[in-house]
Amino acid sequence: MGFDILTGEKLNIDKHLQQIMDIDAIVYGGIDSGFVGKIENLRARYLKNKDSFVCLAENDNIVGYINYFPVCDKLFHQLIGPVRFGIDMSKDDLEEYKEDSDGKFFYELLEDEGKKKKEEKYFVELPGFDDEDGYFTEYSEFEKVREYFLEKIGEDALDESHEGIDPKDSKALKEAEKAYIRQFYNTSRDDDITPDEILGEYSTEEGKNNLFIISVAIHPDKRRDPDGRPSILVLRDAFIAHLNELNEKYGINSIFGMCISDDGVRTLSGMNFNFHRNIKVDDPEATYFEKVYLCYGDYLRRLLEHKTYHKTYRDDIYLFVPFADNPENPKLDEVFQKKGAFHYDGDDMPEETRELLENLDYYMEYEYEGFIKSELERIYLGQCIFRHTTDRYMDETVGEQNAGLLLLAYKNAHMYVLVIYLPGCRFSSSMVGDQLSQRELDIRFGEDDEIDEYGFVSYKNVIKYMGDKYGLVRCGNGKAFYCMSDKPETKQEFRNILTGETFFSVHQDFFIKNYDLVSQQLKTDLAIYDYYEAYMSPVSLAIILKTFDDNDGKQRIEDAATYVFIVELVLLQNTALNKLSKKVGKALEHEGDVSYDYINSLYKDYGKTLKLWDARNFKYYGTQMEAEQIRKAFENDELRERYQEEQGFLENMVEVNAANDERKSGWIIGIVGTLLALFQVKDYMIEMIAGFYSWIGNVIGSPESIIVGGNEAVEETSQFSNLFSVVVWGSVLIFVMGYIAYKNQKRYEQKKKLSGR
């Protein structure tokens, strides 16, 4: 039973190579006829190195294959681009480091680098570049790129670019070299690879066996073997077994390949290949990028250990990220003013996103009658490209997919829910949940400045992007909703999906334990209607949709939308409570030193959220029960209880502070009263002071200096009395004004901190 496995040395050069070409014509010709190679080129490469195939055969007929071969250094460096690969820098001692197998990948070890201490184990860096992203911009630092090119490719390579140029014209020579190097790194290589670019035999020299996978294909009629197992898994396992033989005998340094189809991306990413860069083909009519995928270092070791991932179900993923903003935020004004341009009128909106938006609006109108319905607005923010990562996140991209950005806005309450819509996710769903838990949600918009001239890609964190672009601040934790065709084959993967942790971790070897709570969540179907199963946790919702494949996906989107709009509304409750809790928390940081106006504003904000809590806002009892279940899963009741406790504690602190303020006010009134009492005995005080001055004058022998008696004495005494009055009242006025200024300054600083600015 099952397929036979044939390696390259066992192939019949005439019969089997022709069968391989026939499969190519079906699989790759269906994408683009230009992707189908010529049999004479295939034959020439095969004769140079026959150990370059692992094939599936049935009755001695090829039904699927992987074609690979070790390439020369020039071709290797051309396809991976102008980058150095980082190695394990965790060793302080250079000699010890040289013996470490982690240090035996890719380029020669530089002594000064070997002595460095770094936390990153596998990272990508450009030679001599210091910027955080590790990328460079067009024309900047070109000399370093040129230096790297000459080091790896050789000085003779640039001679061709100098043809027809005056050797004395340095500017023209430099521009020609730039153009040549750009074209060199942006040339797609496939069937044009010649035997001279292939190693005739695998090398015993360390670091030389870099394998290039030129193609993977399975006949469409043979996608499962006779035992019912997916053929791609049978082929993958056979390939890994043969790689282990090669590695034990010669040593494998790296494996890389190029993808032009979603199936190719899924196959390579499932074998621990990471997306490395795009080949920017210089063809204005090209509708695709050649994507270079790479497996090396720790990922290659995992591949050889058969630590691979294959997704056994299909799903659409909806990520919900809650936001809030400040009442004075001006960045959303333009969006609301141009609502029509952002809603359904965009010609570039994918059909599936349009279907989702129309269904969400329909169900909001058809099934919801809450008072806030007229205050809610749903805005289409456009399409983006979502970055799938490993759980090392920063420098390791598994792949990309198109995604829609939708915003549900409750503008009067300054609350928003961003929905990231990932239709037909080809990558690990548990890893998407892990990215949400870590807030490692990176996107790009397909703009030119996001891909440098050598195909390296940069991304934006979606939370930072929403802040910079729209002035929104994350308010609470995100939630994930999975609309699935089936449960994963293993309970462990489903357990990780519900808990928001990756099932296929690259840096840890433990899993979520099957303790009682998670076990209960896995087996408790909370579906209200009969067309799906529903499973919930505080971070994830998953429905197994029985109609997943109906009506070319339209039915799937329609059925999912009945749930998505409920999740949006329940998450608004969650967002409201988190927003209020943050405001109370800030007040508590000030030890409750806030005004009654601030307390009153909290009550008003809470009053606005009460409209969201009544399940009877949903017209159908079944929908009411669905909303109640989601609310319980999101732990909104616990959030509300915690908020109410914090609110009560704040009010008690405010009361205590008010009592202290009254005591201080009494003390101030006492001081003012004392001053006023002094003012009432002014005449007596003046006479006493005047007599004291007269006595001083007699003692020092200058009685004439103090005039006592007569009109002059009366006038002097009157002036002194006026001066005393000015001093007393001035002191009172300065004290009161100073106290008022102090309180106002304190209130301003408090308001500034509480508002988050």
Side-chain angles (χ1 to χ4, degrees):
M1 299 295 291
F3 292 130
D4 296 323
I5 306 299
L6 298 180
T7 54
E9 303 93 327
K10 300 177 182 179
L11 296 184
N12 181 298
I13 192 170
D14 295 317
K15 175 183 175 181
H16 291 146
L17 291 189
Q18 184 57 55
Q19 290 174 348
I20 286 171
M21 291 301 302
D22 293 341
I23 294 174
D24 273 10
I26 297 173
V27 174
Y28 291 106
I31 302 173
D32 189 323
S33 60
F35 295 153
V36 181
K38 298 177 180 179
I39 192 166
E40 55 268 27
N41 295 339
L42 176 64
R43 181 189 294 267
R45 290 191 296 269
Y46 175 71
L47 291 174
K48 181 66 178 286
N49 190 324
K50 292 185 178 181
D51 194 354
S52 56
F53 278 96
V54 171
C55 302
L56 301 180
E58 186 177 50
N59 300 323
D60 200 37
N61 294 312
I62 303 298
V63 298
Y65 72 90
I66 293 181
N67 182 201
Y68 57 92
F69 35 75
V71 299
C72 66
D73 289 346
K74 180 178 179 181
L75 179 58
F76 170 70
H77 288 293
Q78 180 181 23
L79 291 177
I80 67 167
V83 294
R84 289 191 189 273
F85 282 83
I87 51 180
D88 188 349
M89 298 294 185
S90 61
K91 305 292 183 182
D92 286 322
D93 184 80
L94 179 61
E95 294 304 318
E96 179 185 359
Y97 184 70
K98 283 183 176 179
E99 296 301 319
D100 188 341
S101 61
D102 285 347
K104 296 179 179 179
F105 296 100
F106 285 93
Y107 69 99
E108 66 277 6
L109 183 66
L110 302 179
E111 185 171 349
D112 60 335
E113 289 181 336
K115 293 179 179 178
K116 290 180 181 177
K117 183 93 172 176
K118 289 194 177 184
E119 293 181 359
E120 296 88 354
K121 197 166 187 179
Y122 296 101
F123 61 97
V124 178
E125 64 173 8
L126 286 167
F129 288 81
D130 299 323
D131 57 290
E132 294 180 359
D133 293 331
Y135 304 129
F136 52 91
T137 57
E138 189 171 3
Y139 302 119
S140 68
E141 303 289 354
F142 173 74
E143 290 304 321
K144 293 180 179 178
V145 179
R146 181 180 185 277
E147 178 184 344
Y148 178 80
F149 176 87
L150 295 178
E151 174 190 351
K152 296 301 179 184
I153 310 303
E155 293 189 14
D156 294 342
L158 287 179
D159 291 345
E160 183 180 340
S161 69
H162 297 164
E163 292 181 5
I165 300 177
D166 184 352
K168 297 180 181 180
D169 191 345
S170 59
K171 182 177 180 181
L173 289 173
K174 184 175 182 179
E175 290 301 318
E177 289 181 352
K178 284 182 181 180
Y180 183 87
I181 291 175
R182 280 199 301 269
Q183 183 178 3
F184 176 81
Y185 285 124
N186 286 309
T187 298
S188 176
R189 303 300 309 278
D190 187 62
D191 191 51
D192 63 329
I193 295 175
T194 65
D196 292 341
E197 296 176 295
I198 297 172
L199 299 182
E201 296 180 355
Y202 287 86
S203 175
T204 57
E205 183 180 348
E206 184 180 353
K208 287 296 184 181
N209 292 317
N210 297 300
L211 273 58
F212 176 57
I213 296 178
I214 192 171
S215 58
V216 180
I218 295 175
H219 195 286
D221 296 337
K222 300 295 180 179
R223 294 299 166 90
R224 290 188 176 273
D225 74 355
D227 293 329
R229 190 182 182 206
S231 301
I232 189 62
L233 299 186
V234 180
L235 183 60
R236 179 198 66 187
D237 292 349
F239 180 57
I240 294 173
H242 192 61
L243 282 176
N244 274 286
E245 294 176 6
L246 292 173
N247 188 57
E248 185 175 348
K249 194 172 182 180
Y250 305 108
I252 302 300
N253 188 55
S254 72
I255 313 173
F256 64 109
M258 294 192 298
C259 295
I260 56 173
S261 68
D262 291 345
D263 286 341
V265 168
R266 183 177 179 181
T267 298
L268 291 186
S269 63
M271 292 196 298
N272 301 326
F273 285 67
N274 286 333
F275 169 58
H276 178 57
R277 74 179 184 112
N278 291 303
I279 299 290
K280 300 184 69 175
V281 182
D282 189 16
D283 180 1
E285 297 183 1
T287 58
Y288 60 90
F289 277 121
E290 294 272 11
K291 295 182 177 296
V292 178
Y293 269 74
L294 185 64
C295 180
Y296 74 105
D298 191 35
Y299 290 96
L300 178 58
R301 289 197 297 276
R302 287 170 61 84
L303 175 64
L304 296 174
E305 292 169 2
H306 215 300
K307 294 180 179 178
T308 58
Y309 176 75
H310 178 73
K311 193 167 185 174
T312 61
Y313 55 91
R314 287 161 293 125
D315 61 357
D316 300 327
I317 301 178
Y318 303 80
L319 302 179
F320 301 85
V321 186
F323 289 94
D325 73 345
N326 190 286
E328 300 176 13
N329 173 30
K331 293 187 175 182
L332 275 172
D333 293 345
E334 184 178 355
V335 175
F336 284 101
Q337 289 170 2
K338 297 181 178 179
K339 177 183 172 184
F342 287 85
H343 213 48
Y344 300 129
D345 300 335
D347 294 334
D348 61 341
M349 185 186 300
E351 185 61 30
E352 55 203 0
T353 304
R354 187 184 302 275
E355 286 281 341
L356 175 62
L357 281 167
E358 290 176 351
N359 276 282
L360 288 175
D361 273 2
Y362 170 76
Y363 285 116
M364 183 72 79
E365 182 65 30
Y366 181 68
E367 295 195 19
Y368 193 71
E369 59 181 359
F371 292 110
I372 67 165
K373 182 167 69 173
S374 61
E375 300 178 38
L376 297 176
E377 295 185 73
R378 185 174 283 105
I379 302 167
Y380 173 59
L381 298 179
Q383 291 298 111
C384 68
I385 299 171
F386 184 85
R387 172 179 176 247
H388 292 269
T389 73
T390 71
D391 56 344
R392 284 178 179 155
Y393 308 113
M394 294 303 295
D395 294 321
E396 297 172 347
T397 302
V398 176
E400 300 178 322
Q401 80 166 99
N402 292 328
L405 297 179
L406 320 176
L407 187 70
L408 181 67
Y410 185 10
K411 195 169 186 295
N412 289 341
H414 302 284
M415 297 186 304
Y416 310 85
V417 175
L418 176 70
V419 181
I420 306 174
Y421 172 43
L422 304 172
C425 178
R426 301 184 301 276
F427 306 97
S428 169
S429 297
S430 66
M431 188 60 236
V432 176
D434 194 290
Q435 289 180 243
L436 181 65
S437 298
Q438 286 287 336
R439 298 162 196 156
E440 293 286 349
L441 304 172
D442 293 339
I443 60 173
R444 64 185 182 91
F445 293 93
E447 298 168 355
D448 290 340
D449 60 352
E450 296 169 342
I451 304 179
D452 70 20
E453 60 182 329
Y454 298 102
F456 294 103
V457 181
S458 60
Y459 301 90
K460 306 176 179 71
N461 181 277
V462 74
I463 296 173
K464 185 177 185 302
Y465 169 77
M466 294 300 290
D468 294 341
K469 177 77 173 178
Y470 301 112
L472 301 182
V473 180
R474 183 184 58 82
C475 187
N477 295 321
K479 312 293 181 183
F481 170 52
Y482 305 89
C483 179
M484 309 172 72
S485 63
D486 302 283
K487 288 183 182 179
E489 282 188 357
T490 67
K491 288 185 178 179
Q492 185 61 62
E493 183 173 1
F494 199 34
R495 191 177 297 132
N496 282 57
I497 286 174
L498 286 182
T499 54
E501 296 190 31
T502 182
F503 169 69
F504 190 62
S505 174
V506 298
H507 70 82
Q508 63 188 33
D509 57 0
F510 55 85
F511 296 97
I512 290 289
K513 187 178 178 181
N514 190 26
Y515 59 93
D516 291 342
L517 178 59
V518 177
S519 177
Q520 190 67 25
Q521 292 169 346
L522 283 175
K523 66 184 181 182
T524 303
D525 177 11
L526 297 174
I528 300 299
Y529 296 101
D530 62 0
Y531 62 89
Y532 66 94
E533 298 174 17
Y535 304 89
M536 304 181 190
S537 77
V539 296
S540 301
L541 309 175
I543 65 171
I544 314 302
L545 196 61
K546 298 176 182 178
T547 58
F548 193 90
D549 293 319
D550 291 355
N551 197 24
D552 297 328
K554 289 186 177 182
Q555 186 65 48
R556 179 178 80 242
I557 294 172
E558 180 180 338
D559 291 341
T562 64
Y563 228 74
V564 171
F565 99 98
I566 302 173
V567 177
E568 288 178 320
L569 292 170
V570 175
L571 192 56
L572 277 179
Q573 298 176 11
N574 193 286
T575 306
L577 292 170
N578 277 295
K579 181 181 177 183
L580 290 169
S581 185
K582 281 187 176 182
K583 294 181 75 172
V584 172
K586 286 187 177 182
L588 291 175
E589 288 176 7
H590 292 277
E591 299 181 351
D593 188 14
V594 295
S595 66
Y596 281 106
D597 288 340
Y598 187 78
I599 298 293
N600 189 45
S601 71
L602 290 178
Y603 277 120
K604 288 181 179 179
D605 287 344
Y606 184 61
K608 292 178 182 178
T609 70
L610 292 178
K611 302 175 184 178
L612 296 165
W613 288 87
D614 191 349
R616 291 171 296 182
N617 289 334
F618 296 97
K619 297 177 182 178
Y620 292 99
Y621 182 60
T623 312
Q624 293 174 16
M625 289 190 289
E626 286 180 320
E628 284 295 295
Q629 288 179 342
I630 298 171
R631 179 176 60 79
K632 290 177 182 178
F634 285 177
E635 299 179 336
N636 285 12
D637 291 337
E638 289 83 348
L639 279 174
R640 182 159 61 172
E641 290 175 7
R642 187 185 71 185
Y643 163 70
Q644 289 172 342
E645 289 177 1
E646 292 172 341
Q647 175 89 347
F649 185 58
L650 175 62
E651 290 174 359
N652 289 335
M653 292 186 69
V654 171
E655 292 293 338
V656 171
N657 288 338
N660 288 334
D661 286 342
E662 288 182 6
R663 182 173 58 81
K664 292 176 184 177
S665 297
W667 177 70
I668 292 169
I669 292 172
I671 294 176
V672 174
T674 301
L675 292 173
L676 292 175
L678 287 174
F679 185 72
Q680 289 176 356
V681 297
K682 175 185 67 174
D683 293 341
Y684 173 76
M685 294 292 292
I686 290 172
E687 290 179 4
M688 183 178 68
I689 292 171
F692 176 73
Y693 282 170
S694 177
W695 178 76
I696 290 296
N698 289 329
V699 170
I700 65 176
S702 303
E704 67 275 13
S705 63
I706 302 294
I707 302 174
V708 181
N711 292 332
E712 293 161 335
V714 172
E715 182 179 350
E716 187 71 20
T717 301
S718 175
Q719 291 175 356
F720 193 82
S721 173
N722 291 336
L723 177 63
F724 184 83
S725 298
V726 170
V727 170
V728 171
W729 284 110
S731 299
V732 172
L733 182 61
I734 290 171
F735 180 82
V736 172
M737 291 180 66
Y739 181 75
I740 292 172
Y742 167 76
K743 295 296 287 184
N744 285 341
Q745 177 66 19
K746 191 172 181 181
R747 287 194 187 97
Y748 171 75
E749 292 177 354
Q750 179 190 89
K751 182 178 179 182
K752 183 179 178 181
K753 290 180 180 179
L754 288 172
S755 67
R757 294 186 309 234

